[in-house]
Amino acid sequence: MMQNSGVVEVHEDLRVRRTRKMLVAAFMELTVEKGFAAVTVRDITDRAMVNRSTFYRHFLDKYDLLDQYMTDVYGSASDEKLAEEKVARKKDFAPPGLTSLLKHIQEFPDFYRVMLGAQGDPKFIDRFRKNSERRLRALLEYVGDGDPNGSPIELRLSYASCAGIGVILWWLENNQPCTVEQLAVWLSQLTGTSVGLAIKPTQSAQS
Amino acid sequence: MMQNSGVVEVHEDLRVRRTRKMLVAAFMELTVEKGFAAVTVRDITDRAMVNRSTFYRHFLDKYDLLDQYMTDVYGSASDEKLAEEKVARKKDFAPPGLTSLLKHIQEFPDFYRVMLGAQGDPKFIDRFRKNSERRLRALLEYVGDGDPNGSPIELRLSYASCAGIGVILWWLENNQPCTVEQLAVWLSQLTGTSVGLAIKPTQSAQS
Amino acid sequence: MMQNSGVVEVHEDLRVRRTRKMLVAAFMELTVEKGFAAVTVRDITDRAMVNRSTFYRHFLDKYDLLDQYMTDVYGSASDEKLAEEKVARKKDFAPPGLTSLLKHIQEFPDFYRVMLGAQGDPKFIDRFRKNSERRLRALLEYVGDGDPNGSPIELRLSYASCAGIGVILWWLENNQPCTVEQLAVWLSQLTGTSVGLAIKPTQSAQS
Amino acid sequence: MMQNSGVVEVHEDLRVRRTRKMLVAAFMELTVEKGFAAVTVRDITDRAMVNRSTFYRHFLDKYDLLDQYMTDVYGSASDEKLAEEKVARKKDFAPPGLTSLLKHIQEFPDFYRVMLGAQGDPKFIDRFRKNSERRLRALLEYVGDGDPNGSPIELRLSYASCAGIGVILWWLENNQPCTVEQLAVWLSQLTGTSVGLAIKPTQSAQS
DNA sequence: ACGTAAGCGAGACGGTACGTCGCGTCTTACC
DNA sequence: GGTAAGACGCGACGTACCGTCTCGCTTACGT
């Protein structure tokens, strides 16, 4: 029953990698089409042209599939990423971690649009939010707190990390009306103001 | 099939009202206990001590129950409320609509904590967010746009309305560490800054 | 989970009786066609034109179906039957219990042919055998033991009750080449000799 | 698909013989423990410490394993045995074939107890029965038919061969309460009487 | 003795059946 | 005659075995 969730096998069976890839792809397509809740394991395996029982050899259920995918994508990676984040953020640029996150989202815009919206999954949203909050907290710790209006720092963190989702949703629901870089700048400016980052961005990049 | 969903019967049968009340109460309790997704119709009717088929005489399914409940609570009401909102908001107070919303949440803190979090329902979150966005847009239209950093107004609206959820979640997940009024002030200050409301709050109320 | 196995409901729902009847009939047909082991629940429900899950509302599995059927047929009945058996058996007639058993078998000859043969079920055979042994033991107790060759009475009981199955199989596999009455006489003569019944049959009834 | 079932290889690979032996042993143990039906291929290979796919290199399935084992034990052998049988049976001794069969059973009493009982396999029982019937028919052909009560000879054969199983079951289920020789004498006496063998046993051997 | 063909371990995969659960509809027995 | 009780159709779930199929390794055998 070892599902080796998240464990990175260096050299996995070719068949295994192919099967997992097809299952993940089918899952994402179907999620976009009918919303996360409506996707069944049978749907996924039919689309992936894989036997249903094979699905269960790789994943416990669709939630586990999503989990493993998320862990693959920005799982424990963020730990090292956060370190370079602190170094990279000089003064008025958007943090590179944010930009790369947005770039990843840009690869699967429909999937994120659905998953973060009304057809999505609350656990996914929560995970996304907590992730943002973690990154933000690390950033804040580095640059300091300007304490804009006396509200608790935790409140402001929760405010800003949730707000980030709103920005991404706006971007996705309006067919990405600006570049990733532009969006990153706007978002980090807004975030900076809300959270009270001590370092103020001095200029805004134009799209 | 006529489920008279959402239609407000002026004088309903006493038994009907009692049954609905018990079903709604059971639903809310169970949602708090096991999360929205895990609640089944059988759970609800068992808890409410009502036959399962009776449930279907009142609601299409648990989503419909939630819907009807939401509509009852702040359904079409907001239209009139919004009007008085515009009048009420003088200069530096939190908008009364916000305060009354928070007060309502305060009556069912566990329910909202669950429903807006990882065990909640994406449709509920979405509805909540859209509602906030609508109220905010109406407010903005009234007080004008200070255009803080050149980002599109729609982006800032999405940012701020989502952020509001973050603040409420913080409040609920930390056992309401401040009064509703204090929270309303902090939230409206943050919102004002993010969205770029022309009228700035000048002071913060102390809890 | 209450399957009320064997409990006789006086007035069961019409639908329930119809469904159970159809399931049992389908089960018996299929057993004849493909042997007991090869019959699946799906087979049964398809044939009975009933949804598969409905099967599980009535029976735990096909073994339970068989069990309930057996209990219905000659379940606890034998207890009272055995009493009249002792009275009825005068001198040289086959015991009426045997005749009625054979008559029941004659109603479903194919079913018994299969179930007692190579395509049958060992538990069924065992149950059948134990039943015969019980009847025989009761009979023996009444008429006394002639002790033919010094072998233990239990050995002879096991011998004779198993032998009865052989006779029935012969009868069924050869398309019932004689009447039930004739068969009963032959079988009870053979049994009497084997077991050592004190009362000897004096003549054989002709078909 | 060539499984060379039943074909006797003169010089088989050492590994092959070892593997088959372990599989058969594991199968018999497990059959005793959980009954034939409940034994799975995985059970067998786990117990035999052999890979599951190796099982399928030797046997089609567990039925085939049983079949091959049965054929090994008293497969076509009986043909020659039957010849000497006719010679050996003088007057009042149990036929030597019967005794040697019982001796074989005595080597694996638990296995036969299970396989012939409620946890056994109907095909096995049938095969056993048919084998007995064949032996009995051959015997009868040699010694003649005393025609005891007018019942068809085939009926009496079926009666007696089935009865033999009853005797063996009695013996096994009661922990072999007498010697093989004693049992053989009793059984052949009973059989003789039932079937109507012309030669009567004149004395009974004492255990 | 030693190279080679085989037997074997490991395990992914397509299948099929299982028994359970929850849904929403619809019938029936009973008050 | 109207309603609660619950039977039913439907379909997804996760599990368990089955039998097939690679793919390397190792091991007994035959020259």
Side-chain angles (χ1 to χ4, degrees):
Chain A
M1 224 46 66
M2 233 359 257
Q3 220 68 21
N4 79 2
S5 309
V7 175
V8 178
E9 295 286 337
V10 185
H11 238 17
E12 241 180 354
D13 193 318
L14 180 66
R15 292 169 298 177
V16 171
R17 283 184 308 185
R18 189 179 42 124
T19 301
R20 295 176 74 102
K21 181 179 168 184
M22 291 169 76
L23 286 171
V24 169
F27 165 72
M28 295 184 74
E29 283 176 34
L30 286 160
T31 297
V32 170
E33 290 171 23
K34 14 193 317 193
F36 179 76
V39 175
T40 73
V41 173
R42 160 121 288 151
D43 286 339
I44 298 171
T45 55
D46 281 357
R47 176 74 57 102
M49 289 188 298
V50 152
N51 192 277
R52 194 166 70 90
S53 64
T54 300
F55 178 92
Y56 290 105
R57 277 199 199 91
H58 296 282
F59 309 104
L60 295 170
D61 48 33
K62 67 173 172 176
Y63 301 95
D64 185 52
L65 187 158
L66 179 56
D67 246 47
Q68 290 193 31
Y69 173 70
M70 296 309 290
T71 306
D72 279 11
V73 167
Y74 42 50
S76 50
S78 42
D79 290 331
E80 315 110 36
K81 295 280 179 58
L82 277 180
E84 65 183 79
E85 188 92 340
K86 297 178 183 175
V87 177
R89 181 168 175 89
K90 304 197 193 83
K91 35 186 172 299
D92 41 37
F93 299 99
L98 174 60
T99 308
S100 71
L101 171 62
L102 292 177
K103 278 186 173 152
H104 166 69
I105 290 172
Q106 197 176 29
E107 289 179 53
F108 308 99
D110 291 326
F111 180 69
Y112 278 92
R113 177 175 47 76
V114 170
M115 285 303 286
L116 293 175
Q119 300 297 317
D121 176 50
K123 287 191 260 311
F124 181 87
I125 299 178
D126 189 64
R127 179 166 186 170
F128 196 93
R129 193 172 68 83
K130 287 206 163 64
N131 220 35
S132 298
E133 194 170 310
R134 192 158 109 272
R135 288 175 55 259
L136 203 50
R137 183 176 288 110
L139 207 57
L140 186 68
E141 182 179 301
Y142 180 66
V143 300
D145 176 6
D147 193 355
N149 69 343
S151 56
I153 180 63
E154 282 299 322
L155 181 153
R156 277 176 282 138
L157 278 173
S158 196
Y159 177 92
S161 53
C162 227
I165 295 177
V167 167
I168 291 168
L169 267 178
W170 166 83
W171 190 53
L172 295 172
E173 288 177 346
N174 292 281
N175 299 310
Q176 310 165 49
C178 64
T179 64
V180 161
E181 289 75 18
Q182 175 66 79
L183 189 71
V185 168
W186 281 336
L187 176 51
S188 47
Q189 286 179 346
L190 283 168
T191 303
T193 313
S194 303
V195 148
L197 292 185
I199 299 179
K200 307 287 187 314
T202 54
Q203 72 169 89
S204 68
Q206 300 304 325
S207 66
Chain B
M1 207 61 58
M2 245 346 271
Q3 219 68 22
N4 79 5
S5 308
V7 175
V8 178
E9 295 286 337
V10 184
H11 235 21
E12 252 182 335
D13 191 317
L14 180 65
R15 291 169 301 179
V16 170
R17 281 186 309 182
R18 195 190 47 196
T19 301
R20 295 174 73 100
K21 181 179 168 183
M22 292 169 72
L23 286 170
V24 169
F27 164 72
M28 294 184 75
E29 283 176 34
L30 286 161
T31 297
V32 170
E33 290 171 23
K34 18 195 306 195
F36 179 77
V39 174
T40 73
V41 172
R42 158 123 288 150
D43 286 338
I44 299 171
T45 55
D46 281 358
R47 177 73 58 102
M49 290 187 297
V50 153
N51 190 277
R52 195 164 70 91
S53 58
T54 302
F55 178 92
Y56 291 104
R57 266 190 213 99
H58 297 284
F59 308 105
L60 294 169
D61 47 33
K62 67 173 172 179
Y63 301 96
D64 184 50
L65 187 157
L66 178 57
D67 245 48
Q68 290 193 31
Y69 173 71
M70 297 307 290
T71 306
D72 280 10
V73 168
Y74 43 48
S76 51
S78 41
D79 290 332
E80 314 109 37
K81 296 280 180 57
L82 276 180
E84 63 181 79
E85 187 91 341
K86 296 178 182 174
V87 177
R89 180 167 174 91
K90 303 194 194 87
K91 36 185 169 303
D92 43 34
F93 298 101
L98 174 61
T99 308
S100 71
L101 172 63
L102 292 177
K103 278 186 172 151
H104 166 69
I105 291 173
Q106 198 177 27
E107 289 180 51
F108 308 98
D110 290 326
F111 180 69
Y112 279 91
R113 178 175 46 75
V114 171
M115 286 302 287
L116 293 175
Q119 300 296 318
D121 176 50
K123 286 190 262 311
F124 181 87
I125 300 177
D126 189 63
R127 182 168 181 167
F128 197 93
R129 193 172 67 83
K130 286 206 164 64
N131 221 34
S132 299
E133 193 169 314
R134 193 159 107 272
R135 287 176 53 260
L136 202 51
R137 183 176 288 109
L139 206 57
L140 186 69
E141 184 177 300
Y142 179 67
V143 300
D145 176 7
D147 193 354
N149 71 342
S151 56
I153 180 61
E154 283 300 321
L155 181 154
R156 278 176 281 140
L157 277 173
S158 196
Y159 178 92
S161 54
C162 229
I165 294 178
V167 168
I168 291 169
L169 268 177
W170 167 84
W171 190 53
L172 295 172
E173 287 177 347
N174 291 282
N175 298 312
Q176 310 164 47
C178 65
T179 64
V180 162
E181 290 75 19
Q182 175 67 78
L183 189 70
V185 168
W186 280 338
L187 177 51
S188 46
Q189 285 178 346
L190 283 167
T191 304
T193 314
S194 303
V195 149
L197 292 184
I199 300 179
K200 307 288 188 313
T202 54
Q203 71 169 89
S204 68
Q206 298 306 326
S207 65
Chain C
M1 219 50 64
M2 231 1 254
Q3 219 69 20
N4 79 1
S5 308
V7 175
V8 178
E9 295 286 337
V10 185
H11 238 19
E12 244 181 351
D13 192 317
L14 180 66
R15 290 169 297 180
V16 171
R17 282 183 308 183
R18 190 179 40 127
T19 301
R20 294 176 75 101
K21 182 178 167 182
M22 292 169 75
L23 286 171
V24 169
F27 164 72
M28 295 185 74
E29 283 176 34
L30 286 160
T31 298
V32 170
E33 291 171 22
K34 18 194 311 195
F36 180 75
V39 174
T40 73
V41 173
R42 159 123 288 152
D43 286 338
I44 299 172
T45 55
D46 281 358
R47 175 74 58 102
M49 289 188 299
V50 152
N51 191 275
R52 194 166 69 90
S53 66
T54 300
F55 178 93
Y56 292 104
R57 279 199 197 90
H58 297 282
F59 308 105
L60 296 170
D61 47 34
K62 67 173 173 177
Y63 301 95
D64 184 51
L65 187 158
L66 179 56
D67 246 48
Q68 290 194 30
Y69 173 70
M70 298 308 291
T71 306
D72 279 9
V73 168
Y74 44 50
S76 51
S78 42
D79 291 331
E80 315 108 37
K81 295 282 178 58
L82 278 180
E84 63 182 79
E85 188 93 340
K86 297 176 182 175
V87 177
R89 179 170 175 88
K90 304 198 192 82
K91 35 187 171 296
D92 41 36
F93 300 101
L98 174 60
T99 309
S100 71
L101 172 62
L102 293 176
K103 279 188 172 147
H104 166 68
I105 290 173
Q106 198 177 29
E107 289 179 52
F108 307 99
D110 291 326
F111 180 69
Y112 279 92
R113 177 175 47 75
V114 170
M115 285 303 286
L116 294 175
Q119 301 297 318
D121 176 50
K123 287 190 264 309
F124 182 87
I125 300 177
D126 189 63
R127 180 167 184 168
F128 197 93
R129 192 172 68 82
K130 287 206 163 63
N131 219 36
S132 299
E133 195 169 311
R134 191 157 110 272
R135 288 175 54 260
L136 203 49
R137 184 176 286 111
L139 207 57
L140 187 68
E141 184 177 302
Y142 178 67
V143 299
D145 177 5
D147 194 353
N149 69 343
S151 56
I153 180 61
E154 282 300 323
L155 181 153
R156 277 176 282 139
L157 278 173
S158 196
Y159 178 92
S161 53
C162 227
I165 293 177
V167 168
I168 291 168
L169 268 177
W170 167 83
W171 190 54
L172 295 172
E173 288 178 347
N174 292 281
N175 298 310
Q176 311 165 47
C178 65
T179 65
V180 161
E181 289 76 18
Q182 176 65 80
L183 189 70
V185 168
W186 282 336
L187 177 51
S188 46
Q189 286 178 347
L190 283 167
T191 303
T193 313
S194 303
V195 149
L197 292 185
I199 300 178
K200 308 288 188 313
T202 55
Q203 72 168 89
S204 68
Q206 299 305 326
S207 65
Chain D
M1 209 59 57
M2 243 347 269
Q3 219 68 22
N4 77 6
S5 308
V7 175
V8 179
E9 294 287 337
V10 186
H11 236 20
E12 246 181 351
D13 191 315
L14 179 65
R15 289 169 296 181
V16 170
R17 284 183 307 181
R18 196 190 45 196
T19 301
R20 294 175 74 101
K21 181 178 168 182
M22 293 169 73
L23 286 171
V24 170
F27 164 72
M28 294 184 75
E29 283 176 34
L30 286 161
T31 297
V32 171
E33 291 171 23
K34 16 194 313 194
F36 179 76
V39 175
T40 72
V41 173
R42 158 122 289 152
D43 286 337
I44 299 171
T45 55
D46 281 357
R47 176 73 58 101
M49 289 188 297
V50 152
N51 191 275
R52 195 165 69 91
S53 60
T54 301
F55 179 93
Y56 291 104
R57 275 196 201 96
H58 296 283
F59 307 105
L60 295 170
D61 46 34
K62 68 173 172 178
Y63 301 96
D64 185 50
L65 186 158
L66 178 56
D67 246 48
Q68 291 193 30
Y69 173 71
M70 297 309 290
T71 306
D72 280 9
V73 168
Y74 42 48
S76 50
S78 42
D79 289 331
E80 314 107 36
K81 295 281 179 58
L82 275 181
E84 65 183 76
E85 188 90 345
K86 296 177 183 176
V87 177
R89 180 166 176 90
K90 304 196 193 86
K91 34 188 173 301
D92 42 35
F93 299 100
L98 174 61
T99 307
S100 70
L101 172 63
L102 292 177
K103 278 186 172 150
H104 166 69
I105 290 173
Q106 199 177 27
E107 290 180 52
F108 308 98
D110 290 327
F111 180 69
Y112 279 91
R113 177 177 45 75
V114 170
M115 285 302 286
L116 293 175
Q119 300 298 318
D121 176 49
K123 287 190 262 309
F124 182 86
I125 300 177
D126 189 64
R127 180 166 182 169
F128 197 93
R129 194 172 67 82
K130 287 207 163 63
N131 220 36
S132 299
E133 194 170 312
R134 193 158 108 269
R135 287 176 54 261
L136 203 50
R137 184 176 286 110
L139 207 57
L140 186 68
E141 185 179 299
Y142 179 66
V143 300
D145 176 6
D147 193 354
N149 69 344
S151 56
I153 179 62
E154 283 298 324
L155 181 155
R156 277 177 281 140
L157 278 173
S158 196
Y159 177 92
S161 52
C162 228
I165 294 178
V167 167
I168 291 168
L169 268 177
W170 166 84
W171 189 55
L172 295 173
E173 288 178 346
N174 292 280
N175 298 312
Q176 310 165 50
C178 65
T179 64
V180 161
E181 289 75 20
Q182 176 65 80
L183 188 71
V185 168
W186 281 336
L187 177 50
S188 47
Q189 286 177 347
L190 283 167
T191 303
T193 315
S194 302
V195 147
L197 292 184
I199 299 178
K200 309 285 187 314
T202 55
Q203 72 168 89
S204 69
Q206 299 305 328
S207 66

